[in-house]
Amino acid sequence: MKLLLQGVRLNAGIFSLQIDAELGGRVTGLFGVSGSGKSTLVEIIAGLRRPDAGVVKLGEDVLTDVARGVHRPPEARGVGFVPQDGALFPHLSVDGNLRFAERRGNAANKVFSRENVCKLLGIEVLLARRPATLSGGERQRVAIARALVSAPKLLLLDEPLAALDAERKAAILPYLQRVRDEFGVPVLYVSHVPQEMLALCDDMAVLADGRLLHHGPVEEVFRRPASPAVARIVGVETVVPVRVLGGEGELVAVSVGKTRLTGLGDQLPAGTADVLVSIRAEDVLLVNPGSAAGVSARNRLSCTVTALFTEGATVRVELDCGFALTALLTRQAVAELQLAPGREVMALVKAPSVHLIARG
Amino acid sequence: MEDLTHVTLFTLGVALLSTLLILPPGVALGWLLARRRWPGKVVVETLVALPLVIPPVATGLVLLKLFGRRGPLGVLVQNVFGVEIIFTWKAVVIATAVMSFPLLVRSARVAFEEVPQRLEGVARTLGAGPWRVFFSISLPLAKRGLLAGSVLAFARALGEFGATVMIAGMIPGETITLALGIYHEVQLGNDSAALGLLGVSVALAFGAVALSEWLLRRKSP
């Protein structure tokens, strides 16, 4: 299913939105700081806001075509929308909320049946409760379930985890991954948290000041931001798939090809598949080979400089240490170490800077 | 005493009928003012608020001119239904309805404005059309405010005097309400009868306002 945004324009006071994009993939992340236009774009796709110009197409369905006067109402779009606060109807029970979304013609739809959706999101025990009595995490699960019951062709999740604390977030991520894998509904996932992007999304689009700056596979956007502006917003990170070897307590050993890394992760059993490691480029320290004795960093990697990119005051150093690693250094540091392609160096990374993210 | 009972029941009946009469248009207009932008909105807003700010007697005069034997609406009703309005109980209902309409519309508008628009938007994305959203989301969520507004309009109808006296006159047994009765009895020098009517008026008004406050303060469901 492809979501096509063609010349979508909206002017609202000093803020203007202008988007051309073709979003595909199972889960596409929409990344940007607050005020970047993420929510506005989501509302345009849901049909809750009319753009001043442009075309919005979902697959072959024309949802909006301003020039031809087409504006399909929200109820006829098949686009599910879960806002940050969940927006549960306070006067209805959880079950009432779900029934509201059930389409009469859809009763036969087995996949999106209430039973299926409730089981998947683990909310069967909440059915009789009122929204006011639910915890933040439960509320979000119910909101997502309600959107699914309406059998959407596209699911818009607008910062669904933003209102939750870290623990609740970690608890709800697996449910989102199940939604992604079990229902096959394409998801547009709005967030400004890199970890959520990495854990859920295949593709991501970076939005700033109402413009789309970069769109590509998640790993690529984090590793090679299209411009310094994108790098500032998302931060440069090395993102690579790893294999979990095992761990003691919080410390987990993983392997990337022949290279071993030690990182921090929550209970990842050995052999867990589909795990990513992410290392922020500014967390990578470079030293001359052989001078790493007596250093506290758990990860000491011998590598070769492959390329250097100067971006303002900083230099992005691309390294090969069995996998491609990116480091961010000041120009002074690069000069002192006499870094140039082909030069051998030692990269140091503290274990807490090696973030392990389970995608399965 | 028989008189007092009759006047009390008549007043309650008129107030109830006028409140029920203005409820559908009042709720609809309140919603339109809260949720839609349309040409002439400011004019309608002003017109609706007018009875609140001009002297009730002046409103009564306008109604008299409209519903009088030669007034445009009076002639229309006479021709279509063969019914005369002025100086009958129907005139009392019209006067109280017009006078309490602004209170209901204002309460309804505030009640709908307090319903989060986000909820209505999300309801649409879940497949509900505008009517279903209105009846199953907006209306239930605005319920308390609407009820409180209705009670307020009812209380206003109970006490209406100026407009009523202009188009309904003071015909004992026909158009005399509690408010008109108090004035009427005092004019005749029957102070004790006036005090009886006063007591009933105060009790009813007190009950209505207390009910309205209770409805507004009650914890949401």
Side-chain angles (χ1 to χ4, degrees):
Chain A
M1 182 77 63
K2 274 205 173 67
L3 178 69
L4 182 75
L5 302 162
Q6 214 168 51
V8 173
R9 262 200 306 113
L10 181 88
N11 287 308
I14 53 164
F15 173 78
S16 80
L17 186 80
Q18 190 154 12
I19 303 285
D20 274 280
E22 199 179 315
L23 307 174
R26 292 182 308 168
V27 182
T28 301
L30 192 58
F31 190 94
V33 295
S34 54
S36 57
K38 294 169 297 183
S39 295
T40 307
L41 184 59
V42 163
E43 284 176 9
I44 288 174
I45 298 166
L48 297 173
R49 240 172 200 249
R50 284 171 194 244
D52 297 328
V55 177
V56 179
K57 260 173 91 174
L58 182 59
E60 290 306 303
D61 285 353
V62 178
L63 301 182
T64 299
D65 186 341
V66 177
R68 297 204 340 240
V70 179
H71 182 82
R72 225 193 265 185
E75 63 269 25
R77 290 188 170 219
V79 174
F81 173 41
V82 179
Q84 201 186 102
D85 59 352
L88 295 180
F89 306 132
H91 60 302
L92 301 175
S93 65
V94 168
D95 195 42
N97 269 275
L98 297 178
R99 282 175 193 275
F100 182 90
E102 256 177 337
R103 287 175 200 202
R104 280 162 202 100
N106 242 8
N109 195 327
K110 267 279 169 60
V111 184
F112 293 107
S113 71
R114 248 179 323 132
E115 295 71 47
N116 260 358
V117 171
C118 287
K119 202 168 355 139
L120 190 96
L121 286 159
I123 57 168
E124 301 109 311
V125 292
L126 306 175
L127 287 176
R129 303 256 298 269
R130 290 270 166 173
T133 69
L134 301 177
S135 73
E138 290 170 337
R139 219 169 287 165
Q140 285 305 49
R141 265 147 62 198
V142 172
I144 293 164
R146 185 179 62 176
L148 284 173
V149 167
S150 77
K153 284 178 263 174
L154 171 70
L155 192 57
L156 305 172
L157 301 179
D158 190 1
E159 307 230 24
L161 307 185
L164 307 180
D165 54 46
E167 212 169 303
R168 295 238 162 78
K169 256 183 216 184
I172 206 171
L173 266 173
Y175 288 108
L176 291 172
Q177 287 164 339
R178 274 157 83 180
V179 168
R180 174 191 68 193
D181 301 336
E182 305 269 324
F183 288 100
V185 192
V187 175
L188 188 62
Y189 186 88
V190 179
S191 176
H192 62 273
V193 182
Q195 270 68 35
E196 292 173 24
M197 290 285 143
L198 289 168
L200 282 172
C201 304
D202 305 317
D203 281 6
M204 72 187 267
V206 180
L207 203 63
D209 297 323
R211 304 290 186 281
L212 201 64
L213 300 184
H214 192 174
H215 175 214
V218 174
E219 286 92 335
E220 186 202 295
V221 175
F222 279 103
R223 280 183 55 93
R224 294 200 178 77
S227 63
V230 176
R232 256 200 316 282
I233 297 164
V234 301
V236 185
E237 294 189 30
T238 298
V239 181
V240 274
V242 293
R243 206 156 52 83
V244 178
L245 300 172
E248 301 166 35
E250 298 258 283
L251 279 184
V252 180
V254 297
S255 68
V256 191
K258 285 189 198 131
T259 314
R260 282 180 65 124
L261 287 170
T262 304
L264 284 188
D266 285 341
Q267 291 133 18
L268 290 170
T272 307
D274 211 4
V275 174
L276 290 178
V277 66
S278 90
I279 304 169
R280 295 188 73 83
E282 57 262 44
D283 289 341
V284 178
L285 218 64
L286 297 185
V287 296
N288 279 317
S291 59
V295 172
S296 68
R298 290 297 89 201
N299 299 290
R300 295 160 221 179
L301 312 165
S302 307
C303 32
T304 315
V305 176
T306 53
L308 297 162
F309 302 94
T310 306
E311 287 159 355
T314 57
V315 179
R316 184 154 57 87
V317 183
E318 305 254 316
L319 305 151
D320 176 11
C321 48
F323 62 97
L325 180 70
T326 307
L328 205 62
L329 273 65
T330 59
R331 284 157 80 161
Q332 273 172 314
V334 171
E336 260 169 47
L337 284 170
Q338 296 167 329
L339 294 183
R343 170 102 152 71
E344 303 271 322
V345 284
M346 178 80 78
L348 305 178
V349 189
K350 300 168 73 167
S353 299
V354 176
H355 304 284
L356 298 171
I357 298 159
R359 283 169 60 86
Chain B
M1 192 60 219
E2 207 176 294
D3 241 22
L4 187 64
T5 315
H6 178 259
V7 170
T8 305
L9 289 177
F10 175 68
T11 308
L12 283 171
V14 162
L16 191 65
L17 190 58
S18 99
T19 306
L20 290 177
L21 218 59
I22 62 175
L23 203 51
V27 168
L29 188 57
W31 184 84
L32 284 173
L33 291 174
R35 281 290 185 261
R36 288 288 147 108
R37 272 180 287 171
W38 30 284
K41 184 170 168 178
V42 179
V43 179
V44 172
E45 261 178 313
T46 313
L47 270 177
V48 167
L50 223 47
L52 277 183
V53 288
I54 64 172
V57 178
T59 306
L61 181 60
V62 173
L63 292 175
L64 187 63
K65 289 294 167 198
L66 283 174
F67 286 97
R69 287 201 184 88
R70 278 183 227 130
L73 291 176
V75 170
L76 187 78
V77 173
Q78 180 67 256
N79 289 346
V80 176
F81 301 106
V83 177
E84 197 150 315
I85 301 275
I86 54 164
F87 303 123
T88 68
W89 65 270
K90 301 178 199 76
V92 184
V93 174
I94 287 174
T96 53
V98 169
M99 292 305 295
S100 48
F101 192 61
L103 290 172
L104 179 62
V105 172
R106 291 185 153 223
S107 308
R109 180 188 184 154
V110 173
F112 284 122
E113 275 169 351
E114 277 172 4
V115 176
Q117 258 177 306
R118 169 118 301 186
L119 293 183
E120 295 169 339
V122 167
R124 295 284 300 271
T125 66
L126 292 171
W131 288 103
R132 186 160 168 236
V133 171
F134 176 80
F135 283 108
S136 34
I137 305 296
S138 316
L139 205 55
L141 289 178
K143 192 178 68 186
R144 276 191 307 144
L146 295 176
L147 273 173
S150 308
V151 175
L152 216 59
F154 178 75
R156 180 72 186 81
L158 283 180
E160 163 49 27
F161 178 83
T164 315
V165 82
M166 285 299 278
I167 66 164
M170 269 193 256
I171 304 161
E174 175 85 26
T175 68
I176 287 210
T177 62
L178 285 167
L180 297 184
I182 291 173
Y183 184 77
H184 190 61
E185 298 296 351
V186 170
Q187 290 268 295
L188 297 176
N190 298 335
D191 280 17
S192 62
L195 282 176
L197 294 170
L198 173 72
V200 176
S201 301
V202 170
L204 291 179
F206 190 83
V209 172
L211 180 62
S212 150
E213 287 292 308
W214 178 73
L215 286 169
L216 274 176
R217 289 206 190 143
R218 197 167 45 136
K219 282 192 109 183
S220 34

